[in-house]
Amino acid sequence: MERRPGVPRLLREINDRAALELLLSSGPLTRGQIGELTGLSKVTASQTLARLEERGLVEVAGEQAGGRGPNAALYGVVSSSAYVAGLDVGPEFVTTAIADIRGRIVAEATVAPDGHDDPVAVVHNAVVKACRSAKVALSKLRAVVIGTPGVVDPRTGDVRFSFDLPGWHEGIHEALARDLRRDVKIENDVNLVAVAERTLGAARDADDFVLLWVGRGIGLGVVLGGRLHRGRSGSAGEIGYLPVPGVPLAEDVRAVPGRLPSLAGGLQSLVSAEAVTELAAQYGFTGQSAAECVAAAVEAGERGRPLLDDIAGRLALGVASVCVVLDPGLVVLAGEVSQAGGSMLTGRIEEAVARICPVRPQVVASEVDGNPVLRGAVLAALEQAREEIFAS
């Protein structure tokens, strides 16, 4: 019989991965529970746990009282075996979260660029500050994921252009990886919000949905078949450019050296924060931001209905356009304006879409707490780090 020395090793790797995945999702567990849930025999489960303990990934985390006989040891993943960093990068602040391999946030830190144009220096300072706060060595980070506004080219990993971050350009991705001495992933911020929504929010376990971000700007995250759809150039979801009736077309949209593309025209001109604030003033609502104006309309009850109807009608143009092409079934509304409008806004959008679209998607508000970009960045970093550990 031909010997296949690689097969036992492959089986060990499969068993180790199955046990580790189970402990990350459901632990701590006893050896018997691990064997039962993975289908491993008691002997194989014991050998698997021994290997994982030797690698410093698993440890005895307590005991479970049984009937007769001694208590059974509970095994759990060693939280400090690896860490990840997620970043939310904006024009005014950069926020970093450090999480252990189990997903527990151990520290958050925010820094201001303070006029520094070099993205590498800004990100380095943000990560180092967060690591110091968490008392975690930079070398312990297994993955770093950065969320930024703008278009991220999935082929190169670089930001192709961003209105808010003109210093982020081709070559930054490689420079960041070289500076931090590890792989770094840059992702569009709205895409990361969609990641957080699918794991923690209103789109839990939904295979097909779109997330419409309405805040200072407008963007769309698309999830199809359980995977983010970025498009060939990373421009999927740039819904601000969508041509809509009664609004001039966006022009000069190409980014060229020395000039950023224009955002005048298209859907952006109808539902940007500036547009919503101006619209609210026409209905007698004012505030420091578009979100404050929308919140005031919600609180005003009957008097605020016309403004909410108008905003919903504008957003419905974008939602309907997406739905007749993708038919996602679920639309999640996120961002400051969306949060302020809540169910009063989502319900109106759903009704408005049904009037102009042959399909009627469910429109719901985001359920992700805290900073959704940061949450999504951490989740993406955890997925990457765990995959590396599983494969090592």
Side-chain angles (χ1 to χ4, degrees), residues 74-262:
L74 284 168
Y75 293 87
V77 173
V78 178
S79 301
S80 59
S81 58
Y83 294 88
V84 302
L87 286 81
D88 175 17
V89 175
E92 298 177 354
F93 300 101
V94 177
T95 302
T96 306
I98 305 295
D100 61 34
I101 196 61
R102 292 171 58 187
R104 182 175 63 94
I105 304 294
V106 295
E108 281 191 24
T110 298
V111 300
D114 290 331
H116 294 294
D117 295 328
D118 180 13
V120 177
V122 173
V123 169
H124 181 94
N125 292 339
V127 173
V128 167
K129 182 178 180 179
C131 283
R132 286 175 178 168
S133 179
K135 295 181 172 58
V136 171
L138 194 63
S139 60
K140 293 282 283 184
L141 296 181
R142 293 293 291 259
V144 178
V145 173
I146 301 171
T148 71
V151 175
V152 180
D153 192 329
R155 298 164 295 185
T156 65
D158 272 315
V159 178
R160 287 179 53 216
F161 67 84
S162 173
F163 296 95
D164 295 324
L165 304 171
W168 289 68
H169 49 71
E170 186 176 351
I172 293 299
H173 176 247
E174 183 179 344
L176 285 168
R178 188 167 55 248
D179 176 76
L180 295 175
R181 300 180 181 180
R182 62 195 27 80
D183 183 45
V184 173
K185 183 176 183 180
I186 305 173
E187 181 64 89
N188 171 265
D189 52 1
V190 178
N191 281 346
L192 290 176
V193 176
V195 169
E197 204 67 52
R198 185 167 189 260
T199 305
L200 306 169
R204 290 183 190 89
D205 303 321
D207 286 335
D208 300 306
F209 74 96
V210 296
L211 179 135
L212 182 62
W213 177 272
V214 187
R216 195 164 63 89
I218 179 171
L220 189 79
V222 181
V223 174
L224 299 174
R227 298 172 62 89
L228 273 174
H229 179 72
R230 300 177 177 86
R232 180 175 179 272
S233 66
S235 296
E238 292 296 312
I239 197 173
Y241 295 106
L242 182 73
V244 291
V247 176
L249 295 176
E251 297 181 353
D252 296 326
V253 298
R254 292 178 300 169
V256 297
R259 176 179 64 79
L260 288 173
S262 170

Side-chain angles (χ1 to χ4, degrees), residues 313-373:
R314 295 182 176 202
L315 288 172
L317 295 174
V319 173
S321 299
V322 171
C323 289
V324 293
V325 176
L326 299 179
D327 190 15
L330 176 65
V331 177
V332 181
L333 211 61
E336 294 177 0
V337 170
S338 305
Q339 288 178 331
S343 61
M344 295 282 286
L345 187 58
T346 56
R348 282 172 164 75
I349 294 172
E350 189 171 313
E351 292 292 338
V353 170
R355 289 194 293 270
I356 61 174
C357 181
V359 295
R360 177 170 181 156
Q362 180 185 10
V363 182
V364 300
S366 169
E367 295 179 1
V368 176
D369 295 327
N371 182 332
V373 177

